[in-house]
Amino acid sequence: MKDHTLRIAIVVGTRPEIIKMSPIIRECKRRKQDYFILHTGQHYSYNMDQVFFEQLELPKPKYNLDVGSGTQAEQTGRALIGIEQVLLKEKPDVVLVEGDTNTVLAGALAATKLHIKVGHVEAGLRSYDRTMPEEINRVLTDHISDFCFAPTEQSRQTLLREGIEENKIFVTGNTIVDAVYQNLELARKKANILERLGLKEKEYFLVTVHRPENVDNKDRFQGILSGLQQLEKEYNIPVVYPIHPRSRKKMDEFGLFADNINLVDPQDLFGFLQLEQNAKVVLTDSGGVQEETCILGNPCVTLRDNTERPETIDVGSNVLAGTHPEDIVNAVSMMLHKEREGSNPFGDGQSGKKIVDILEKEIT
Ligand code: UD1
Ligand code: UDP
């Protein structure tokens, strides 16, 4: 029996982790839970990091490890060393990590080796593509976690097939639903991004592309840009691409041009939600954006050959197009002509609350 209240360490490092942990942080704050935020600093540019803390009114991280960018081992290693030091000092009962980044693997590994319990938010996702660093991070993290918070029954089944004990798996929905529901109204009220960019509802395409498999490969990146240019020509409406720093760097390095594509800086969450909701079609290789379009009921074309979010394909909000220009144009046309079911497989927007409830109940 514990002789103190439950102490939770919430580890974040990148844009999507901050956004998807925000409902859990808000819930901990509301309950006056004993918790603290540990930021690895994997993302550090203002518009990839701090803007989300400010806009979502999240408490400042107690620690920022300033891990920054680097190779897979450098980034993961620096995070592992820094997280271990904090955990030794803070002695939390449980460490929460979210998603599939290098920060997630480092957080889970540091904690489990100190015999601190690990909760993996968004467990059981699989692309079955081990060339993706994220797939390796997901598999390893799920297998060293004490609590696997699976967003759907499908992800629960995946974990069971891999031999993870049933009593470690909890289907909670995905906290991205909470984040969308909590912020959509504010986004409508506070963001004026369409005006600022001179866009009209349903008269533009929205794009995000940042996966190494796409942007670190000149041919694939070129294929995507050509497909987007064809779309602009065929539909005669703007293509807006808030460009991730990785993609910007690679575009310069490869000498690629984005003529007729409206490149803008990464947007804050309210602005981006507005852009997503009002786009004619969203084209992406992002995980979170596949989910959000599904929740918002807006069509999505995924510029990849696989997805760890098959639920979005099953409900018809998403389609896989790969990176060939004609395939991209055909996928957009198909999505525009398709009847959509409009259901959201990722839960009821109460995932943050469910996760904290489970921790309170199970760690006694
Ligand atoms: C990381 C995650 C990826 C996630 C993405 C979210 C891993 C292996 N990858 O990819 O799963 O989808 O975050 O956006 O953990 N950079 C900046 N400023 C920043 C951050 C990055 O300029 O704040 C630039 C640097 O040049 C850096 C590059 O972007 O080298 C890539 O950053 P990194 O964190 O290594 O990977 P992401 O591509 O962001
Ligand atoms: N996002 C944002 N501004 C942008 C692009 C994306 O706020 O300019 C948000 C988006 O709403 C989603 C998250 O960032 O919640 C997705 O992050 P990203 O695509 O970087 O990572 P992934 O989900 O692929 O890991």
Side-chain angles (χ1 to χ4, degrees):
M1 194 74 168
K2 243 172 9 84
D3 57 358
H4 64 284
T5 56
L6 175 68
R7 181 157 173 74
I8 304 176
I10 298 178
V11 175
V12 297
T14 66
R15 169 169 74 185
E17 293 162 71
I18 302 165
I19 295 168
K20 287 177 167 175
M21 278 297 198
S22 68
I24 296 178
I25 296 171
R26 284 176 171 172
E27 186 60 24
C28 287
K29 204 170 149 188
R30 195 183 66 78
R31 292 183 191 201
K32 299 191 171 49
Q33 193 80 42
D34 182 10
Y35 79 102
F36 67 94
I37 301 170
L38 196 180
H39 194 329
T40 62
Q42 178 171 344
H43 282 179
Y44 45 84
S45 300
Y46 175 79
N47 57 15
M48 298 296 289
D49 173 20
Q50 204 185 320
V51 69
F52 300 104
F53 281 90
E54 289 171 8
Q55 191 165 60
L56 302 176
E57 298 180 9
L58 303 176
K60 271 207 170 90
K62 184 164 183 186
Y63 299 91
N64 191 319
L65 304 176
D66 289 324
V67 158
S69 309
T71 66
Q72 295 293 313
E74 285 165 354
Q75 198 174 52
T76 313
R78 284 198 292 265
L80 188 59
I81 293 167
I83 294 169
E84 183 184 60
Q85 285 168 0
V86 173
L87 298 182
L88 281 169
K89 182 171 158 220
E90 293 281 350
K91 299 187 175 41
D93 299 300
V94 61
V95 170
L96 286 183
V97 292
E98 192 288 327
D100 53 20
T101 66
N102 290 341
T103 291
V104 170
L105 177 60
L109 194 51
T112 196
K113 288 208 156 186
L114 293 172
H115 311 297
I116 297 171
K117 293 199 183 318
V118 178
H120 186 201
V121 180
E122 204 178 80
L125 275 63
R126 296 289 182 269
S127 65
Y128 300 103
D129 175 359
R130 292 274 175 111
T131 65
M132 297 175 72
E134 292 87 354
E135 182 71 357
I136 296 164
N137 294 338
R138 285 180 202 118
V139 173
L140 294 174
T141 303
D142 283 339
H143 283 261
I144 54 177
S145 288
D146 301 277
F147 302 95
C148 288
F149 298 114
T152 65
E153 179 56 30
Q154 201 162 332
S155 36
R156 188 178 92 96
Q157 290 300 330
T158 301
L159 293 167
L160 288 173
R161 275 199 303 278
E162 290 183 9
I164 292 182
E165 296 96 311
E166 201 164 1
N167 63 2
K168 288 187 176 171
I169 311 172
F170 302 85
V171 178
T172 55
N174 193 312
T175 56
I176 193 65
V177 182
D178 313 28
V180 169
Y181 290 176
Q182 288 171 12
N183 297 304
L184 197 57
E185 197 48 39
L186 288 170
R188 279 201 199 102
K189 281 190 193 137
K190 293 198 178 175
N192 60 351
I193 182 88
L194 267 63
E195 260 167 58
R196 275 203 284 123
L197 297 179
L199 301 170
K200 295 202 192 94
E201 280 177 32
K202 303 292 167 195
E203 291 187 27
Y204 63 92
F205 294 108
L206 176 67
V207 180
T208 80
V209 179
H210 75 281
R211 298 249 152 246
E213 80 206 57
N214 285 336
V215 302
D216 291 11
N217 177 321
K218 188 176 176 186
D219 290 341
R220 285 179 75 95
F221 203 178
Q222 178 64 72
I224 291 173
L225 294 174
S226 302
L228 298 176
Q229 284 157 341
Q230 283 186 31
L231 283 177
E232 190 269 346
K233 214 163 158 190
E234 195 172 315
Y235 291 85
N236 197 24
I237 58 173
V239 175
V240 181
Y241 178 4
I243 186 164
H244 188 289
R246 174 185 212 106
S247 317
R248 173 82 75 177
K249 196 168 92 179
K250 287 291 168 186
M251 199 180 267
D252 293 344
E253 204 175 298
F254 292 143
L256 294 174
F257 294 100
D259 298 349
N260 302 326
I261 299 172
N262 189 358
L263 295 184
V264 296
D265 284 334
Q267 296 297 310
D268 60 37
L269 185 62
F270 294 171
F272 192 75
L273 282 174
Q274 268 223 329
L275 283 173
E276 270 183 303
Q277 192 170 39
N278 294 300
K280 190 174 184 76
V281 176
V282 180
L283 298 100
T284 194
D285 62 8
S286 157
V289 174
Q290 290 174 66
E291 291 158 354
E292 285 165 351
T293 45
C294 184
I295 297 160
L296 294 168
N298 220 10
C300 181
V301 169
T302 292
L303 305 171
R304 287 175 51 186
D305 303 319
N306 54 51
T307 180
E308 56 292 315
R309 275 96 174 164
E311 297 90 345
T312 60
I313 311 264
D314 296 344
V315 301
S317 73
N318 188 16
V319 66
L320 291 177
T323 57
H324 292 290
E326 314 80 65
D327 294 341
I328 296 172
V329 174
N330 288 340
V332 166
S333 166
M334 193 274 275
M335 286 310 279
L336 286 171
H337 289 100
K338 185 174 177 199
E339 292 272 318
R340 280 188 306 280
E341 201 190 292
S343 67
N344 156 29
F346 295 114
D348 58 4
Q350 300 295 316
S351 305
K353 185 175 173 304
K354 284 180 196 157
I355 288 167
V356 183
D357 278 347
I358 291 164
L359 294 176
E360 283 276 5
K361 180 162 171 272
E362 299 285 327
I363 307 180
T364 49

